[in-house]
Amino acid sequence: MSTPVDPRPVASAEAEGMAIVARTQAQLVRRRFFRHRLAMASLVVFMAVLLLSFSATGIGPIPGWWKHDYTTVATVVDGGRPTLSVVPTFLGGDGVHLGEHPFGQDNKGIDYFALTMRGTQISVMIAFIVGTLGSFIGVLIGAAAGFFRGWTETILMRFTDIIIIMPLLAICAVIANQAGNAGPFWLAVVISLFTWTGLARIVRGEFLSLREKEFVEAARAAGTPAWRIIRKHILPNTLGVILVSATLSLAGAVILETSLSFLGFGVKPPDTSLGRLISDYQSAFVTRPWLFIWPGVFIVTIALTVNFIGDGLRDAFDPRQNKVRS
Amino acid sequence: MLAFIVRRVIAAFGILLAGTFIAYVLVALSGDPLQRLREDNSPGREERIASMTERLDLDTPVPLRYVKWLGGASQCVLPFLGKCDLGQSVRGQDVSSLLGNAMTSTLQLITVATITAAIIGVMVGIITALRQYSRLDYTATLASFLFVSLPLFWFAVLLKQYIAIDLNDWLADPAVSLPTAAIVGVVSGLVWASIIGGDRRRVWTSFAGAFVVSAGGLLVLAETGWFRSPGLGPIVVAVVGLAAAVGLTALLAGFRYRNVLYAALATAVAGIVANLALDSVLFNPSWGVLFLLLLLAVGIAVGIGYAIGGMQRRQAITTSVWVTIVMGTTIVADRMLTAWDNYFEFVDGRVIATFGSETPNYDGGTWGNLLDTVTHLALPTVALILVSVATYSRYTRASMLEVMNQDYVRTARSKGLTDRTVVVRHALRNGLIPITTLMAFDLAGLIGGAVITETVFGWQGMGFMFVDALRNVDPNPAMAFFLVTGIVAVLFNMLADIAYAYLDPRIRLG
């Protein structure tokens, strides 16, 4: 007796949920990133913070939805205490509501929510400019040094060594002291002149190994100009490293800018930033701790979420990474 | 090797020259020291402008002024050239003497921070690498992300306002409630259980053990009034010494060969005897005597290891020296705490200091002053090392994981070596090599952090001097800061390069 043979054909790989779909490298990376739960949660929180800060007080001429302005002086109500309440009534709280001044008021009666949102806007904007411009300079210098080698490399890398030995915070304080007067934009530009060193070294390392590869040799043999080889053949292969590094440098830039502003060398009045707010209200800490706590919470939230996003990107771009963790 | 070192020294010299030049130009352009005088309309304005111009040499063009400044500054760096001259501040003080005082307190802060951060970070890194993907590993990963994202200035102010004040209030009336003890016990139990690991039974045993020891210990200490007047005494020193001998032997050599254990125990006994015999010497020794005693102790430890070690001589010497270090630290802590009561009274119960680097007018002998320094260092160090601990632990973890997956480690395991031998003698040696580079790199970050920490905690250090100079548009003190940090950075990068080339033979010297 033989066992009855199943008349149907052997279950294909597809039927068992093992379909092998051809995916491009970009799709693989995207998939890995979107499956990184912590990074996705961070992305959502980060976007929410951005949306909140930019919509609340408005951008340039466009007004925001929040009723108070970050410059309007008003009478201080209830010692400027925050009216935000998140404990529902059935738990013995005041119920969930925003109130008139959710983050409280400062000593001049300015609504602190509006002020914090404005500070977040400026800080994030500076961080974006520093992150992108700094990374751009780093890629440019690293690529040139790694690709051309010889004297170009020696000069550029010695220059990097020179910049790297100066404490970043200190040298930024020196230049930001003047640049801060010209407004946040120029402050950001000036800071990014000193934050590129790390990426330049990484990109140079990548270029050094990639320029010896066969496909680059083939491109060179076909008479492709150097600029095109860099742009079309080598750079796309280093995109992951650059993107990760740029994201992490954005988180670093938030901390750097707020630190500078805290010391009084960054954003100057009438502009404000999260670091500036903390510095301004540091002395009021004992009597009005919320003036100190709120900007700090926003700095930590922004820096932490951006760091997590960068970590997610790093995992996504790492070809050795198959398992997606947490 | 020699050619490599010489080339590195020359390169470092050039980088330092160029770096100081750029810094000098930027500092000179960062503000006009005469601005305030020009706006001043009181009589005698012209003379004051003239004297300031002369004092800061403002009539000389910037590059030339740099050369002049370099001439004076080089006498500070190279010995036997003459008097050190870093120019004058706007108030007419000599910058080199200003720098002398500021440098001591900053270097103190940075040294303590570097050592603490490296020890904690490397230990956490090794443990999380050995327990990869455990709950402890995830917690440490999350914590390091949080530490990197915390703005130092914000955290420092929080520490100052909450931790310091609450801790001081608690020290004034040290009582431990049952729930507090229970919470501390649970936390300690969780940490130890995940570090020790193993099967379920072992996890529960270690949890229970840690819980009882921490919670019970806390309660007993509070009941007996230990927190009111803390101290160790010779018995605790003896127990710690013997425990260190057994523990370090288990960690570094194992009990398979008894010689190492005997050497470690003999060292511990020698330490205990020395602690009792030298009681009068240790009552109030000078720093020189303490240093000599330390050298002597290490020498004795090496001798004991050499004499008793037998076939395991090297391991015996290493273990004995580590036992000496642990015992020495305990003895110093013991003696330091003898000054507690006196100090407590002097500072009116506010033991954890939040301002400055020393209590004015306090002189409690060697131990009292040490206690004073420690209480002043505590908070700034905690604030400063967060980022460094995160970096060290991540770096160590990554490097250890990489090494642990290599073929030679698998070979070591497959020939039947114990876990301890594989980790301590095979993996650790290669896994910790990259840390040398990290130390040089991290130092620059710590110096930047010191600028903020000193501002928040009111330390009269270099960072404080720098911020103050920048606010008052005072170029020479600001430049002195860049000179010192530049020298430190260049020196440590160079040392790291040389150490790396020495430790890792794969590095080509070229």
Side-chain angles (χ1 to χ4, degrees), chain B residues 133-456:
Chain B
Y133 298 138
S134 67
R135 231 163 278 138
L136 184 79
D137 185 24
Y138 283 125
T139 315
T141 307
L142 284 183
S144 63
F145 268 105
L146 185 66
F147 289 170
V148 171
S149 310
L150 266 181
L152 175 58
F153 56 96
W154 190 67
F155 183 69
V157 175
L158 282 188
L159 267 187
K160 192 168 144 181
Q161 296 291 349
Y162 287 125
I163 303 295
I165 289 173
D166 286 358
L167 201 59
N168 278 331
D169 286 348
W170 181 77
L171 280 174
D173 179 24
V176 179
S177 66
L178 273 178
T180 322
I183 292 172
V184 172
V186 168
V187 171
S188 133
L190 285 177
V191 170
W192 281 106
S194 27
I195 290 178
I196 293 171
D199 57 14
R200 181 164 298 183
R201 211 181 119 204
R202 202 162 143 195
V203 166
W204 278 108
T205 321
S206 35
F207 178 84
F211 178 84
V212 168
V213 169
S214 323
L218 204 58
L219 284 175
V220 168
L221 289 179
E223 264 330 291
T224 52
W226 189 82
F227 290 113
R228 171 58 94 176
S229 164
L232 297 176
I235 296 173
V236 177
V237 171
V239 171
V240 168
L242 294 174
V246 176
L248 286 169
T249 310
L251 201 65
L252 297 176
F255 296 116
R256 202 160 147 210
Y257 304 106
R258 292 285 154 152
N259 293 357
V260 180
L261 180 65
Y262 295 152
L265 285 176
T267 314
V269 169
I272 295 164
V273 172
N275 184 29
L276 293 173
L278 294 174
D279 194 45
S280 55
V281 182
L282 285 173
F283 182 68
N284 191 12
S286 67
W287 287 110
V289 171
L290 264 186
F291 184 70
L292 279 181
L293 282 178
L294 182 75
L295 281 187
L296 192 67
V298 172
I300 291 175
V302 171
I304 291 176
Y306 188 86
I308 305 184
M311 295 287 280
Q312 287 76 44
R313 197 163 266 165
R314 260 187 79 171
Q315 280 173 311
I317 291 176
T318 321
T319 316
S320 301
V321 170
W322 277 108
V323 170
T324 314
I325 291 171
V326 171
M327 281 205 79
T329 320
T330 322
I331 292 174
V332 167
D334 173 41
R335 298 288 160 168
M336 189 180 79
L337 287 176
T338 55
W340 180 275
D341 289 334
N342 181 10
Y343 184 69
F344 192 83
E345 216 141 284
F346 191 88
V347 294
D348 223 6
R350 315 311 293 175
V351 179
I352 305 295
T354 53
F355 192 84
S357 54
E358 55 183 7
T359 312
N361 307 326
Y362 178 74
D363 183 24
T366 307
W367 301 122
N369 290 343
L370 183 63
L371 183 64
D372 188 42
T373 312
V374 169
T375 53
H376 278 86
L377 272 173
L379 286 184
T381 311
V382 169
L384 197 53
I385 62 172
L386 280 190
V387 178
S388 307
V389 166
T391 330
Y392 276 113
S393 67
R394 301 311 293 164
Y395 228 83
T396 312
R397 180 180 178 272
S399 140
M400 276 302 281
L401 282 177
E402 198 181 318
V403 171
M404 294 290 281
N405 283 329
Q406 277 180 9
D407 289 342
Y408 81 94
V409 172
R410 197 171 305 130
T411 311
R413 275 191 206 287
S414 62
K415 72 182 180 193
L417 293 183
T418 55
D419 254 6
R420 183 194 54 70
T421 319
V422 172
V423 172
V424 176
R425 305 215 47 194
H426 290 78
L428 214 54
R429 290 186 166 193
N430 284 328
L432 293 189
I433 290 176
I435 303 299
T436 47
T437 332
L438 185 63
M439 275 188 129
F441 176 77
D442 189 62
L443 206 71
L446 278 178
I447 290 174
V451 173
I452 291 173
T453 327
E454 285 176 7
T455 316
V456 173

Side-chain angles (χ1 to χ4, degrees), chain A residues 187-239:
Chain A
L187 176 71
V189 171
V190 165
I191 292 178
S192 53
L193 292 180
F194 288 89
T195 55
W196 50 265
T197 45
L199 186 58
R201 284 187 165 178
I202 297 172
V203 171
R204 168 178 163 266
E206 293 280 313
F207 266 65
L208 281 182
S209 74
L210 284 171
R211 76 191 287 275
E212 310 295 339
K213 292 273 158 69
E214 286 83 355
F215 67 91
V216 176
E217 209 169 316
R220 228 195 295 260
T224 321
W227 171 236
R228 195 178 157 78
I229 297 183
I230 293 177
R231 214 159 41 91
K232 288 279 176 189
H233 296 263
I234 303 186
L235 211 52
N237 283 303
T238 59
L239 197 67

Side-chain angles (χ1 to χ4, degrees), chain A residues 70-84:
Chain A
Y70 62 91
T71 48
T72 318
V73 178
T75 44
V76 181
V77 186
D78 186 26
R81 240 169 276 285
T83 56
L84 178 72

Side-chain angles (χ1 to χ4, degrees), chain A residues 10-119:
Chain A
V10 178
S12 70
E14 193 165 359
E16 288 181 4
M18 292 183 53
I20 295 164
V21 183
R23 290 196 179 87
T24 63
Q25 193 61 35
Q27 278 170 328
L28 282 173
V29 169
R30 219 172 304 139
R31 220 169 101 93
R32 280 199 290 255
F33 181 66
F34 284 139
R35 288 200 173 173
H36 198 293
R37 260 178 276 155
L38 196 56
M40 284 315 290
S42 300
L43 191 63
V44 170
V45 173
F46 181 59
M47 286 298 162
V49 169
L50 280 195
L51 199 68
L52 185 69
S53 67
F54 279 94
S55 69
T57 49
I59 315 163
I62 312 162
W65 51 265
W66 184 242
K67 51 197 165 191
H68 296 289
D69 190 40
Y70 62 91
T71 48
T72 318
V73 178
T75 44
V76 181
V77 186
D78 186 26
R81 240 169 276 285
T83 56
L84 178 72
S85 166
V86 287
V87 188
T89 30
F90 58 81
L91 285 176
D94 299 332
V96 183
H97 60 79
L98 280 178
E100 186 67 20
H101 301 287
F103 287 8
Q105 285 171 301
D106 77 349
N107 48 352
K108 281 176 286 184
I110 298 175
D111 180 62
Y112 208 56
F113 177 73
L115 213 49
T116 311
M117 290 302 108
R118 177 66 183 172

Side-chain angles (χ1 to χ4, degrees), chain A:
Chain A
M1 282 272 297
S2 62
T3 47
V5 177
D6 194 337
R8 286 172 295 170
V10 178
S12 70
E14 193 165 359
E16 288 181 4
M18 292 183 53
I20 295 164
V21 183
R23 290 196 179 87
T24 63
Q25 193 61 35
Q27 278 170 328
L28 282 173
V29 169
R30 219 172 304 139
R31 220 169 101 93
R32 280 199 290 255
F33 181 66
F34 284 139
R35 288 200 173 173
H36 198 293
R37 260 178 276 155
L38 196 56
M40 284 315 290
S42 300
L43 191 63
V44 170
V45 173
F46 181 59
M47 286 298 162
V49 169
L50 280 195
L51 199 68
L52 185 69
S53 67
F54 279 94
S55 69
T57 49
I59 315 163
I62 312 162
W65 51 265
W66 184 242
K67 51 197 165 191
H68 296 289
D69 190 40
Y70 62 91
T71 48
T72 318
V73 178
T75 44
V76 181
V77 186
D78 186 26
R81 240 169 276 285
T83 56
L84 178 72
S85 166
V86 287
V87 188
T89 30
F90 58 81
L91 285 176
D94 299 332
V96 183
H97 60 79
L98 280 178
E100 186 67 20
H101 301 287
F103 287 8
Q105 285 171 301
D106 77 349
N107 48 352
K108 281 176 286 184
I110 298 175
D111 180 62
Y112 208 56
F113 177 73
L115 213 49
T116 311
M117 290 302 108
R118 177 66 183 172
T120 310
Q121 260 184 37
I122 302 281
S123 288
V124 168
M125 193 193 82
I126 293 177
F128 261 113
I129 297 173
V130 173
T132 43
L133 191 60
S135 304
F136 180 73
I137 300 174
V139 170
L140 216 60
I141 290 184
F147 186 79
F148 294 112
R149 314 250 3 220
W151 275 107
T152 325
E153 186 186 19
T154 311
I155 292 171
L156 287 178
M157 284 300 115
R158 284 289 162 268
F159 183 58
T160 314
D161 287 345
I162 293 165
I163 301 289
I164 247 171
I165 66 156
M166 295 189 257
L168 184 61
L169 184 75
I171 198 72
C172 282
V174 169
I175 43 170
N177 203 11
Q178 285 282 350
N181 297 327
F185 175 77
W186 290 107
L187 176 71
V189 171
V190 165
I191 292 178
S192 53
L193 292 180
F194 288 89
T195 55
W196 50 265
T197 45
L199 186 58
R201 284 187 165 178
I202 297 172
V203 171
R204 168 178 163 266
E206 293 280 313
F207 266 65
L208 281 182
S209 74
L210 284 171
R211 76 191 287 275
E212 310 295 339
K213 292 273 158 69
E214 286 83 355
F215 67 91
V216 176
E217 209 169 316
R220 228 195 295 260
T224 321
W227 171 236
R228 195 178 157 78
I229 297 183
I230 293 177
R231 214 159 41 91
K232 288 279 176 189
H233 296 263
I234 303 186
L235 211 52
N237 283 303
T238 59
L239 197 67
V241 179
I242 295 169
L243 206 58
V244 169
S245 180
T247 315
L248 295 180
S249 83
L250 205 152
V254 173
I255 304 279
L256 181 61
E257 178 273 322
T258 48
S259 302
L260 284 176
S261 299
F262 174 78
L263 291 174
F265 302 126
V267 177
K268 300 271 164 79
D271 280 309
T272 192
S273 87
L274 291 174
R276 173 111 224 140
L277 284 176
I278 292 183
S279 152
D280 283 351
Y281 299 112
Q282 193 192 352
S283 53
F285 187 81
V286 183
T287 48
R288 301 170 168 189
W290 57 89
L291 296 180
F292 182 83
I293 304 281
W294 282 117
V297 168
F298 273 82
I299 298 175
V300 175
T301 312
I302 295 171
L304 195 59
T305 49
V306 173
N307 271 326
F308 279 139
I309 295 170
D311 189 50
L313 282 176
R314 186 188 350 238
D315 285 353
F317 274 109
D318 190 352
R320 286 174 300 180
Q321 184 94 24
N322 294 316
K323 184 169 151 276
V324 176
R325 61 182 174 80
S326 63

